[in-house]
Amino acid sequence: MKEKMIKFIKRYRIFFLLLIINTAVLVIFPNLGKKAFQLTGSNLLEMLSVLPPIFILLGLLDVWVKRETMIKYMGDNSGIIGVLLAFFLGSAAAGPLYAAFPVAGVLLKKGSKLSNVFIMLGAWSTTKIPLILFEASSLGLKFMLIRLVMDIVGIAVIAYITEKALSTNDKNEIYQKALKENKH
Amino acid sequence: MTIALYVIAFSALTVSFFKSREKTLLALKKAWKSFENILPQFLSILIIIGMMLAILTPEQISKLLGSESGWYGVLIAAVIGSITLIPGFVAFPLAAALLKSGAGYMQIAAFISTLMMVGIVTMPVEISYFGKKATIVRNVAAFGFSFIVALVMGVLL
């Protein structure tokens, strides 16, 4: 029990520290601190509203999709299908980019090609369908279209560069991390 | 979109439950574990974002990003976009408001691009999944890419 408590405090120590800092700000600069807490609160609500379905789908994916299936469709020899699937997965998602990292972890664990995972991340960050529609309505169709076309190219290029920058060793380490991350 | 996601997740869960109770339970357990795994980092990020946005108000951002600010403004926009994390549904109206109050298209394009693709605050999370090297290369490449987007926007708009 005591050990569990220590582990809990250790994992959340940065969060507690930030909470203390923000509380100190609240005492010294009430307006600023109050605003910060309000912003954190509304962001927290947004996060909690969007994350449950993502993590449920993640759990189902982990349990039901066989490694062989993932390798076939998103693995090293998946070709254009893997690329398109990665674009689709990222674009159909909701939620901030940091919610995409656990998804990336499971894809890696199941044997998806690294560059496809980077494409999924890129799509998740900028070509999300509801966001694109929203962008067009607030910044204009032309602005949105130029950015969309550039982003599709950019995402692929960034994924390619990132994968090329990594040695075989680096890549193995990333796959090892994904296996470990999802075990406990 | 969020509602659609809930419908999909719930349908998938129902189908899964009829196919195998044990596997569905296992899936839910895994879902909770991977969520709890990343929760401390999520919470920390949320507080950092809250404090940052409380200090850096839209009025201040718009002062820095006027259309006469040129490449210097683009650089500032890219840096602000990299360190802040604003949800898209807040960012686009903000960008539209910034344009109205005098910010340039190039600066806004750089801001939106880095906002979405570069994440300084979330780097520790990214590193825990991809390691230092991949994280740095991806973020630097995305940062550089944002300038290309800004340049093209400047030419076309």
Side-chain angles (χ1 to χ4, degrees):
Chain A
M1 189 60 206
K2 206 181 160 195
E3 237 170 66
K4 245 186 172 173
M5 198 69 197
I6 291 172
K7 210 178 153 196
F8 176 81
I9 292 173
K10 222 175 161 184
R11 287 187 57 219
Y12 285 84
R13 66 178 186 276
I14 295 176
F15 166 66
F16 286 132
L17 183 72
L18 288 167
L19 206 58
I20 292 167
I21 293 174
N22 204 343
T23 310
V25 171
L26 184 67
V27 172
I28 304 166
F29 309 102
N31 281 335
L32 192 70
K34 205 177 143 203
K35 208 173 152 203
F37 268 122
Q38 277 168 351
L39 286 162
T40 305
S42 66
N43 280 337
L44 181 70
L45 280 184
E46 200 199 291
M47 182 184 101
L48 290 180
S49 73
V50 77
L51 290 186
I54 293 178
F55 278 90
I56 287 174
L57 287 170
L58 198 64
L60 290 171
L61 179 89
D62 200 353
V63 170
W64 286 105
V65 177
K66 285 198 201 95
R67 212 181 133 76
E68 299 78 52
T69 317
M70 182 67 87
I71 289 174
K72 187 175 162 203
Y73 290 107
M74 289 187 80
D76 277 331
N77 299 313
S78 58
I80 188 74
I81 289 183
V83 172
L84 292 177
L85 212 57
F87 260 113
F88 173 76
L89 267 180
S91 300
L97 180 60
Y98 51 86
F101 296 130
V103 177
V106 172
L107 292 183
L108 286 169
K109 179 189 165 195
K110 294 275 172 181
S112 171
K113 193 181 176 185
L114 201 52
S115 63
N116 285 342
V117 174
F118 286 132
I119 286 174
M120 187 280 290
L121 278 184
W124 190 304
S125 71
T126 74
T127 59
K128 282 208 290 276
I129 296 154
L131 269 190
I132 289 173
L133 299 176
F134 195 62
E135 181 178 359
S137 73
S138 33
L139 294 172
L141 191 64
K142 204 171 164 193
F143 187 95
M144 180 276 264
L145 281 177
I146 297 172
R147 231 175 56 80
L148 179 63
V149 170
M150 291 201 70
D151 278 341
I152 290 173
V153 179
I155 287 165
V157 171
I158 291 170
Y160 181 80
I161 291 175
T162 315
E163 195 182 7
K164 280 284 164 249
L166 300 172
S167 65
T168 316
N169 244 343
D170 295 332
K171 285 183 199 168
N172 286 339
E173 244 170 68
I174 292 172
Y175 282 106
Q176 288 306 319
K177 259 185 214 228
L179 285 175
K180 233 171 52 195
E181 192 79 39
N182 284 287
K183 218 189 255 164
H184 52 79
Chain B
M1 198 62 184
T2 309
I3 294 170
L5 217 56
Y6 269 95
V7 172
I8 294 167
F10 191 72
S11 321
L13 207 58
T14 312
V15 173
S16 169
F17 186 76
F18 279 113
K19 278 197 154 181
S20 160
R21 275 188 184 204
E22 296 88 59
K23 275 196 164 185
T24 308
L25 245 124
L26 186 66
L28 286 175
K29 261 188 202 158
K30 285 194 175 207
W32 171 251
K33 278 231 165 123
S34 46
F35 175 69
E36 210 279 328
N37 221 353
I38 202 174
L39 190 62
Q41 289 157 312
F42 271 178
L43 290 173
S44 305
I45 289 169
L46 286 175
I47 292 192
I48 294 174
I49 299 167
M51 285 204 271
M52 212 137 54
L53 292 183
I55 297 167
L56 205 66
T57 60
E59 295 82 47
Q60 280 170 316
I61 298 177
S62 106
K63 255 189 234 159
L64 292 167
L65 307 182
S67 50
E68 288 84 42
S69 57
W71 282 104
Y72 182 65
V74 173
L75 182 68
I76 294 177
V79 170
I80 295 177
S82 303
I83 52 177
T84 46
L85 255 175
I86 308 172
F89 288 93
V90 180
F92 288 127
L94 171 66
L98 291 177
L99 276 175
K100 255 195 199 144
S101 61
Y105 272 104
M106 281 174 84
Q107 290 80 3
I108 291 301
F111 171 66
I112 292 280
S113 277
T114 53
L115 185 65
M116 300 189 149
M117 296 179 111
V118 184
I120 304 254
V121 181
T122 50
M123 266 186 157
V125 187
E126 193 172 347
I127 288 172
S128 73
Y129 283 94
F130 291 103
K132 269 193 191 134
K133 199 167 167 188
T135 302
I136 291 170
V137 171
R138 193 194 71 79
N139 280 284
V140 169
F143 189 79
F145 172 70
S146 304
F147 285 83
I148 303 175
V149 175
L151 182 69
V152 172
M153 284 288 182
V155 172
L156 292 180
L157 280 175

Coordinates of all heavy atoms in Angstrom, one line a residue, chain A residues 77-151:
Chain A
N77 N 6.0 -3.9 -46.1 CA 5.7 -4.1 -47.5 C 4.3 -3.7 -47.9 O 3.8 -4.2 -48.9 CB 6.0 -5.6 -47.9 CG 7.5 -6.0 -47.7 OD1 8.4 -5.2 -48.1 ND2 7.7 -7.1 -47.0
S78 N 3.7 -2.8 -47.1 CA 2.3 -2.5 -47.3 C 2.2 -1.5 -48.4 O 1.1 -1.3 -49.0 CB 1.7 -1.9 -46.0 OG 2.4 -0.8 -45.6
G79 N 3.2 -0.8 -48.8 CA 3.2 0.1 -50.0 C 2.2 1.2 -49.8 O 2.0 1.8 -48.7
I80 N 1.5 1.5 -50.9 CA 0.6 2.7 -50.9 C -0.6 2.5 -50.0 O -1.1 3.4 -49.5 CB 0.2 3.0 -52.4 CG1 -0.6 4.4 -52.5 CG2 -0.6 1.9 -53.0 CD1 0.3 5.6 -52.3
I81 N -1.0 1.3 -49.9 CA -2.2 1.0 -49.0 C -1.9 1.4 -47.6 O -2.7 2.0 -46.9 CB -2.6 -0.5 -49.0 CG1 -3.2 -0.8 -50.4 CG2 -3.5 -0.9 -47.9 CD1 -3.6 -2.2 -50.6
G82 N -0.7 1.1 -47.1 CA -0.2 1.5 -45.8 C -0.2 3.0 -45.6 O -0.7 3.5 -44.6
V83 N 0.3 3.7 -46.7 CA 0.3 5.2 -46.6 C -1.1 5.7 -46.5 O -1.4 6.6 -45.7 CB 1.1 5.7 -47.9 CG1 1.0 7.2 -47.9 CG2 2.5 5.3 -47.8
L84 N -2.0 5.2 -47.4 CA -3.4 5.8 -47.4 C -4.1 5.5 -46.1 O -4.8 6.3 -45.6 CB -4.1 5.2 -48.6 CG -3.6 5.6 -50.0 CD1 -4.4 4.9 -51.1 CD2 -3.8 7.1 -50.2
L85 N -3.9 4.3 -45.6 CA -4.5 3.9 -44.4 C -4.0 4.8 -43.2 O -4.8 5.2 -42.4 CB -4.2 2.4 -44.1 CG -5.2 1.6 -43.3 CD1 -6.5 1.6 -44.1 CD2 -4.7 0.2 -43.1
A86 N -2.7 5.1 -43.2 CA -2.2 6.0 -42.2 C -2.8 7.3 -42.3 O -3.2 7.9 -41.3 CB -0.7 6.0 -42.3
F87 N -2.9 7.9 -43.5 CA -3.5 9.2 -43.7 C -5.0 9.2 -43.2 O -5.4 10.1 -42.5 CB -3.5 9.6 -45.2 CG -2.4 10.5 -45.6 CD1 -1.4 10.2 -46.4 CD2 -2.4 11.8 -45.1 CE1 -0.4 11.0 -46.7 CE2 -1.4 12.7 -45.4 CZ -0.4 12.3 -46.2
F88 N -5.7 8.1 -43.5 CA -7.1 8.0 -43.1 C -7.2 7.9 -41.6 O -8.0 8.6 -41.0 CB -7.7 6.8 -43.8 CG -9.1 6.5 -43.3 CD1 -10.2 7.3 -43.8 CD2 -9.4 5.6 -42.4 CE1 -11.5 7.2 -43.3 CE2 -10.7 5.4 -41.9 CZ -11.7 6.2 -42.4
L89 N -6.4 7.1 -41.0 CA -6.5 6.9 -39.5 C -6.3 8.2 -38.8 O -7.0 8.6 -37.9 CB -5.4 5.9 -39.1 CG -5.8 4.5 -38.9 CD1 -4.6 3.7 -38.5 CD2 -6.9 4.3 -38.0
G90 N -5.3 9.0 -39.3 CA -5.0 10.3 -38.6 C -6.0 11.3 -38.9 O -6.4 12.0 -38.0
S91 N -6.5 11.3 -40.1 CA -7.5 12.4 -40.5 C -8.9 12.1 -39.9 O -9.6 13.1 -39.6 CB -7.7 12.4 -42.0 OG -6.5 12.7 -42.7
A92 N -9.2 10.9 -39.6 CA -10.5 10.5 -39.1 C -10.5 10.7 -37.5 O -11.5 10.6 -36.9 CB -10.9 9.1 -39.4
A93 N -9.3 11.0 -37.0 CA -9.3 11.0 -35.5 C -9.8 12.3 -35.0 O -10.1 13.3 -35.7 CB -7.8 10.8 -35.1
A94 N -9.9 12.4 -33.7 CA -10.2 13.7 -33.0 C -9.3 13.8 -31.8 O -8.7 12.8 -31.4 CB -11.7 13.7 -32.5
G95 N -9.2 15.0 -31.3 CA -8.3 15.2 -30.2 C -7.0 15.7 -30.5 O -6.5 15.7 -31.7
P96 N -6.3 16.3 -29.5 CA -5.0 16.9 -29.7 C -3.9 15.9 -30.1 O -4.1 14.7 -29.9 CB -4.7 17.5 -28.4 CG -5.4 16.7 -27.4 CD -6.7 16.3 -28.1
L97 N -2.8 16.4 -30.6 CA -1.7 15.6 -31.1 C -1.2 14.6 -30.0 O -0.9 13.5 -30.3 CB -0.6 16.4 -31.7 CG 0.6 15.7 -32.2 CD1 0.2 14.8 -33.4 CD2 1.7 16.6 -32.7
Y98 N -1.1 15.1 -28.8 CA -0.5 14.2 -27.8 C -1.4 13.0 -27.5 O -0.9 12.0 -27.0 CB -0.2 15.0 -26.5 CG -1.3 15.8 -25.9 CD1 -2.2 15.3 -25.0 CD2 -1.3 17.2 -26.2 CE1 -3.2 16.1 -24.5 CE2 -2.3 18.0 -25.6 CZ -3.3 17.4 -24.8 OH -4.3 18.2 -24.3
A99 N -2.7 13.0 -27.9 CA -3.5 11.8 -27.8 C -3.1 10.8 -28.8 O -3.5 9.6 -28.8 CB -5.0 12.2 -27.9
A100 N -2.4 11.2 -29.9 CA -2.0 10.3 -31.0 C -0.8 9.4 -30.6 O -0.7 8.4 -31.2 CB -1.7 11.1 -32.2
F101 N -0.1 9.8 -29.6 CA 1.1 9.1 -29.3 C 0.8 7.6 -28.8 O 1.5 6.7 -29.2 CB 2.0 9.8 -28.3 CG 2.6 11.1 -28.9 CD1 2.5 12.3 -28.2 CD2 3.2 11.1 -30.1 CE1 3.0 13.5 -28.8 CE2 3.7 12.2 -30.7 CZ 3.6 13.4 -30.0
P102 N -0.2 7.5 -27.9 CA -0.5 6.1 -27.5 C -1.0 5.3 -28.7 O -0.7 4.1 -28.8 CB -1.7 6.3 -26.5 CG -1.5 7.7 -25.9 CD -0.9 8.5 -27.1
V103 N -1.7 5.9 -29.6 CA -2.2 5.2 -30.8 C -1.0 4.8 -31.6 O -0.9 3.6 -32.1 CB -3.1 6.1 -31.6 CG1 -3.5 5.4 -32.9 CG2 -4.3 6.5 -30.9
A104 N 0.0 5.7 -31.8 CA 1.2 5.3 -32.5 C 1.9 4.2 -31.8 O 2.4 3.3 -32.5 CB 2.1 6.6 -32.5
G105 N 1.9 4.2 -30.4 CA 2.5 3.1 -29.7 C 1.9 1.7 -30.1 O 2.7 0.7 -30.3
V106 N 0.6 1.6 -30.1 CA 0.0 0.4 -30.4 C 0.2 -0.1 -31.9 O 0.5 -1.2 -32.2 CB -1.6 0.4 -30.1 CG1 -2.3 -0.8 -30.7 CG2 -1.8 0.6 -28.7
L107 N 0.2 0.9 -32.8 CA 0.5 0.6 -34.2 C 1.9 0.0 -34.3 O 2.1 -1.0 -35.0 CB 0.4 1.9 -35.1 CG -1.0 2.5 -35.3 CD1 -0.9 3.6 -36.2 CD2 -2.0 1.4 -35.8
L108 N 2.9 0.6 -33.6 CA 4.2 0.1 -33.7 C 4.3 -1.3 -33.1 O 5.0 -2.2 -33.6 CB 5.2 1.1 -32.9 CG 5.5 2.4 -33.5 CD1 6.2 3.3 -32.6 CD2 6.4 2.2 -34.8
K109 N 3.6 -1.5 -32.0 CA 3.7 -2.7 -31.3 C 3.2 -3.9 -32.2 O 3.6 -5.0 -32.1 CB 2.8 -2.6 -30.0 CG 2.7 -3.9 -29.2 CD 1.7 -3.7 -28.1 CE 1.2 -5.0 -27.5 NZ 0.0 -4.9 -26.8
K110 N 2.2 -3.5 -33.0 CA 1.6 -4.5 -33.9 C 2.4 -4.7 -35.2 O 1.9 -5.4 -36.1 CB 0.1 -4.1 -34.2 CG -0.8 -4.1 -33.0 CD -1.3 -5.5 -32.8 CE -2.1 -5.6 -31.5 NZ -2.6 -7.0 -31.3
G111 N 3.5 -3.9 -35.4 CA 4.3 -4.1 -36.5 C 4.1 -3.2 -37.7 O 4.5 -3.5 -38.8
S112 N 3.5 -2.0 -37.4 CA 3.3 -1.1 -38.5 C 4.7 -0.4 -38.9 O 5.5 -0.3 -38.0 CB 2.4 0.0 -38.0 OG 2.3 1.1 -39.0
K113 N 4.8 -0.1 -40.1 CA 6.1 0.5 -40.6 C 6.2 1.9 -39.9 O 5.2 2.6 -39.8 CB 6.0 0.7 -42.1 CG 7.3 1.1 -42.8 CD 7.0 1.2 -44.3 CE 8.3 1.6 -45.0 NZ 8.0 1.8 -46.4
L114 N 7.4 2.3 -39.6 CA 7.7 3.5 -38.9 C 7.2 4.8 -39.7 O 6.6 5.6 -39.1 CB 9.2 3.6 -38.5 CG 9.5 4.6 -37.4 CD1 8.7 4.3 -36.1 CD2 11.0 4.5 -37.1
S115 N 7.5 4.8 -41.0 CA 7.1 6.0 -41.7 C 5.6 6.1 -41.8 O 5.1 7.2 -41.8 CB 7.7 5.9 -43.1 OG 7.2 4.8 -43.9
N116 N 4.9 5.0 -41.8 CA 3.4 5.0 -41.8 C 2.9 5.6 -40.5 O 1.9 6.3 -40.5 CB 2.8 3.6 -42.0 CG 2.9 3.2 -43.5 OD1 3.1 4.1 -44.4 ND2 2.8 1.9 -43.8
V117 N 3.6 5.2 -39.4 CA 3.2 5.8 -38.1 C 3.4 7.3 -38.1 O 2.6 8.1 -37.6 CB 4.0 5.1 -36.9 CG1 3.6 5.8 -35.6 CG2 3.6 3.7 -36.9
F118 N 4.5 7.8 -38.7 CA 4.8 9.2 -38.7 C 3.8 9.9 -39.6 O 3.4 11.0 -39.4 CB 6.2 9.5 -39.3 CG 7.3 9.2 -38.2 CD1 8.4 8.4 -38.6 CD2 7.2 9.6 -36.9 CE1 9.4 8.1 -37.6 CE2 8.1 9.4 -36.0 CZ 9.2 8.6 -36.3
I119 N 3.3 9.2 -40.7 CA 2.3 9.8 -41.5 C 1.0 10.0 -40.7 O 0.3 11.0 -40.8 CB 2.1 9.0 -42.8 CG1 3.2 9.2 -43.8 CG2 0.7 9.3 -43.5 CD1 3.2 8.3 -45.0
M120 N 0.7 8.9 -40.0 CA -0.5 9.0 -39.1 C -0.5 10.2 -38.2 O -1.4 10.9 -38.0 CB -0.7 7.7 -38.4 CG -2.0 7.5 -37.6 SD -2.0 8.3 -36.0 CE -0.8 7.3 -35.0
L121 N 0.7 10.3 -37.6 CA 0.9 11.5 -36.6 C 0.7 12.8 -37.4 O 0.1 13.7 -36.9 CB 2.3 11.4 -36.1 CG 2.6 10.5 -34.9 CD1 4.0 10.7 -34.4 CD2 1.6 10.8 -33.7
G122 N 1.3 12.9 -38.6 CA 1.2 14.1 -39.3 C -0.2 14.5 -39.7 O -0.7 15.6 -39.6
A123 N -0.9 13.4 -40.2 CA -2.3 13.6 -40.5 C -3.1 14.0 -39.3 O -4.0 14.9 -39.3 CB -2.9 12.4 -41.2
W124 N -2.9 13.3 -38.2 CA -3.6 13.6 -36.9 C -3.4 15.1 -36.5 O -4.3 15.8 -36.1 CB -3.0 12.7 -35.8 CG -3.8 12.7 -34.5 CD1 -4.1 13.8 -33.8 CD2 -4.5 11.6 -33.9 NE1 -4.9 13.5 -32.7 CE2 -5.1 12.1 -32.7 CE3 -4.5 10.3 -34.2 CZ2 -5.8 11.3 -31.8 CZ3 -5.2 9.4 -33.3 CH2 -5.8 10.0 -32.1
S125 N -2.1 15.6 -36.8 CA -1.9 17.0 -36.4 C -2.5 18.0 -37.3 O -2.9 19.1 -36.8 CB -0.4 17.2 -36.2 OG 0.2 17.2 -37.5
T126 N -2.6 17.7 -38.6 CA -3.1 18.9 -39.4 C -4.2 18.6 -40.4 O -4.8 19.5 -40.9 CB -1.9 19.5 -40.3 OG1 -1.6 18.6 -41.3 CG2 -0.7 19.8 -39.5
T127 N -4.5 17.4 -40.8 CA -5.5 17.2 -41.9 C -6.8 16.6 -41.3 O -7.5 15.9 -42.0 CB -5.0 16.4 -43.1 OG1 -4.5 15.1 -42.6 CG2 -3.8 17.0 -43.7
K128 N -7.0 16.8 -40.1 CA -8.3 16.2 -39.5 C -9.5 16.8 -40.2 O -9.6 18.1 -40.3 CB -8.3 16.5 -38.0 CG -7.4 15.5 -37.2 CD -7.9 15.3 -35.8 CE -7.7 16.4 -35.0 NZ -6.4 16.6 -34.4
I129 N -10.4 16.0 -40.6 CA -11.5 16.4 -41.4 C -12.4 17.5 -40.8 O -12.6 18.6 -41.5 CB -12.4 15.2 -41.8 CG1 -11.5 14.3 -42.7 CG2 -13.6 15.6 -42.6 CD1 -12.0 12.8 -42.7
P130 N -12.8 17.4 -39.6 CA -13.7 18.5 -39.0 C -12.9 19.8 -38.9 O -13.5 20.9 -39.1 CB -14.1 18.0 -37.6 CG -13.1 16.8 -37.3 CD -12.7 16.3 -38.6
L131 N -11.6 19.7 -38.6 CA -10.8 20.9 -38.5 C -10.6 21.6 -39.8 O -10.6 22.8 -39.9 CB -9.4 20.5 -38.0 CG -9.2 20.6 -36.5 CD1 -7.8 20.5 -36.1 CD2 -9.8 21.9 -35.9
I132 N -10.5 20.8 -40.9 CA -10.3 21.4 -42.2 C -11.6 22.2 -42.6 O -11.5 23.3 -43.1 CB -10.1 20.3 -43.3 CG1 -8.7 19.7 -43.1 CG2 -10.3 20.8 -44.7 CD1 -8.5 18.5 -44.0
L133 N -12.8 21.6 -42.3 CA -14.0 22.3 -42.6 C -14.1 23.6 -41.8 O -14.5 24.7 -42.3 CB -15.2 21.4 -42.3 CG -15.3 20.1 -43.1 CD1 -16.4 19.3 -42.6 CD2 -15.4 20.4 -44.6
F134 N -13.7 23.5 -40.6 CA -13.7 24.7 -39.7 C -12.7 25.7 -40.2 O -13.0 26.9 -40.1 CB -13.4 24.2 -38.3 CG -13.7 25.2 -37.2 CD1 -15.0 25.6 -37.1 CD2 -12.7 25.8 -36.5 CE1 -15.4 26.6 -36.1 CE2 -13.1 26.7 -35.5 CZ -14.4 27.1 -35.3
E135 N -11.6 25.3 -40.6 CA -10.6 26.2 -41.1 C -11.1 27.0 -42.3 O -10.9 28.2 -42.4 CB -9.3 25.4 -41.5 CG -8.2 26.3 -42.0 CD -6.9 25.6 -42.3 OE1 -6.9 24.3 -42.2 OE2 -5.9 26.2 -42.8
A136 N -11.8 26.3 -43.2 CA -12.3 26.9 -44.4 C -13.3 28.0 -44.0 O -13.3 29.1 -44.6 CB -13.0 25.9 -45.3
S137 N -14.1 27.7 -43.0 CA -15.2 28.7 -42.6 C -14.6 29.9 -41.9 O -15.1 31.0 -42.0 CB -16.3 28.0 -41.8 OG -15.8 27.7 -40.5
S138 N -13.4 29.7 -41.2 CA -12.9 30.9 -40.5 C -11.8 31.6 -41.3 O -11.7 32.8 -41.1 CB -12.4 30.6 -39.1 OG -11.9 29.3 -38.9
L139 N -11.0 30.9 -42.1 CA -9.9 31.6 -42.8 C -10.1 31.6 -44.3 O -9.3 32.1 -45.0 CB -8.6 30.9 -42.4 CG -8.2 31.1 -41.0 CD1 -7.0 30.3 -40.7 CD2 -7.9 32.6 -40.6
G140 N -11.2 31.0 -44.8 CA -11.4 31.1 -46.2 C -11.0 29.8 -46.9 O -10.1 29.1 -46.5
L141 N -11.7 29.5 -48.0 CA -11.5 28.2 -48.7 C -10.1 28.2 -49.3 O -9.4 27.1 -49.3 CB -12.6 28.1 -49.8 CG -12.7 26.7 -50.5 CD1 -13.1 25.7 -49.5 CD2 -13.7 26.8 -51.6
K142 N -9.7 29.3 -49.8 CA -8.4 29.3 -50.5 C -7.2 29.0 -49.5 O -6.4 28.2 -49.8 CB -8.2 30.7 -51.2 CG -7.2 30.7 -52.3 CD -7.2 32.0 -53.1 CE -6.0 32.1 -54.0 NZ -5.8 33.5 -54.4
F143 N -7.3 29.7 -48.4 CA -6.3 29.5 -47.4 C -6.2 28.0 -47.0 O -5.2 27.4 -46.9 CB -6.6 30.3 -46.1 CG -5.6 30.3 -45.0 CD1 -4.6 31.3 -45.0 CD2 -5.6 29.3 -44.1 CE1 -3.7 31.4 -44.0 CE2 -4.6 29.3 -43.0 CZ -3.7 30.4 -43.0
M144 N -7.4 27.4 -46.8 CA -7.5 26.0 -46.3 C -7.0 25.1 -47.4 O -6.2 24.2 -47.1 CB -9.0 25.7 -46.0 CG -9.2 24.3 -45.6 SD -9.4 23.2 -47.0 CE -11.2 23.1 -47.1
L145 N -7.4 25.3 -48.7 CA -6.9 24.4 -49.8 C -5.4 24.5 -50.0 O -4.8 23.4 -50.1 CB -7.6 24.8 -51.1 CG -9.1 24.3 -51.2 CD1 -9.7 24.8 -52.5 CD2 -9.1 22.8 -51.1
I146 N -4.8 25.7 -50.0 CA -3.4 25.8 -50.1 C -2.7 25.0 -49.0 O -1.8 24.2 -49.3 CB -2.9 27.3 -50.1 CG1 -3.5 28.1 -51.3 CG2 -1.4 27.4 -50.2 CD1 -3.3 29.6 -51.2
R147 N -3.2 25.2 -47.8 CA -2.5 24.5 -46.7 C -2.7 23.0 -46.8 O -1.8 22.3 -46.5 CB -3.1 25.1 -45.4 CG -2.0 25.5 -44.4 CD -2.5 26.2 -43.1 NE -3.5 25.3 -42.5 CZ -3.1 24.3 -41.7 NH1 -1.9 24.0 -41.4 NH2 -4.1 23.5 -41.1
L148 N -3.9 22.6 -47.1 CA -4.2 21.2 -47.2 C -3.2 20.5 -48.2 O -2.6 19.5 -47.9 CB -5.6 20.9 -47.6 CG -6.1 19.5 -47.7 CD1 -5.9 18.8 -46.4 CD2 -7.5 19.3 -48.2
V149 N -3.2 21.1 -49.4 CA -2.3 20.5 -50.5 C -0.9 20.4 -50.0 O -0.2 19.4 -50.1 CB -2.4 21.3 -51.8 CG1 -1.4 20.8 -52.8 CG2 -3.8 21.1 -52.4
M150 N -0.4 21.6 -49.4 CA 1.0 21.6 -48.9 C 1.2 20.6 -47.8 O 2.2 19.9 -47.7 CB 1.3 23.0 -48.4 CG 1.4 24.0 -49.6 SD 2.4 25.4 -49.1 CE 4.0 24.7 -49.0
D151 N 0.2 20.5 -46.9 CA 0.4 19.6 -45.7 C 0.5 18.1 -46.2 O 1.2 17.4 -45.6 CB -0.8 19.8 -44.8 CG -0.7 21.0 -43.9 OD1 0.5 21.4 -43.7 OD2 -1.7 21.4 -43.3

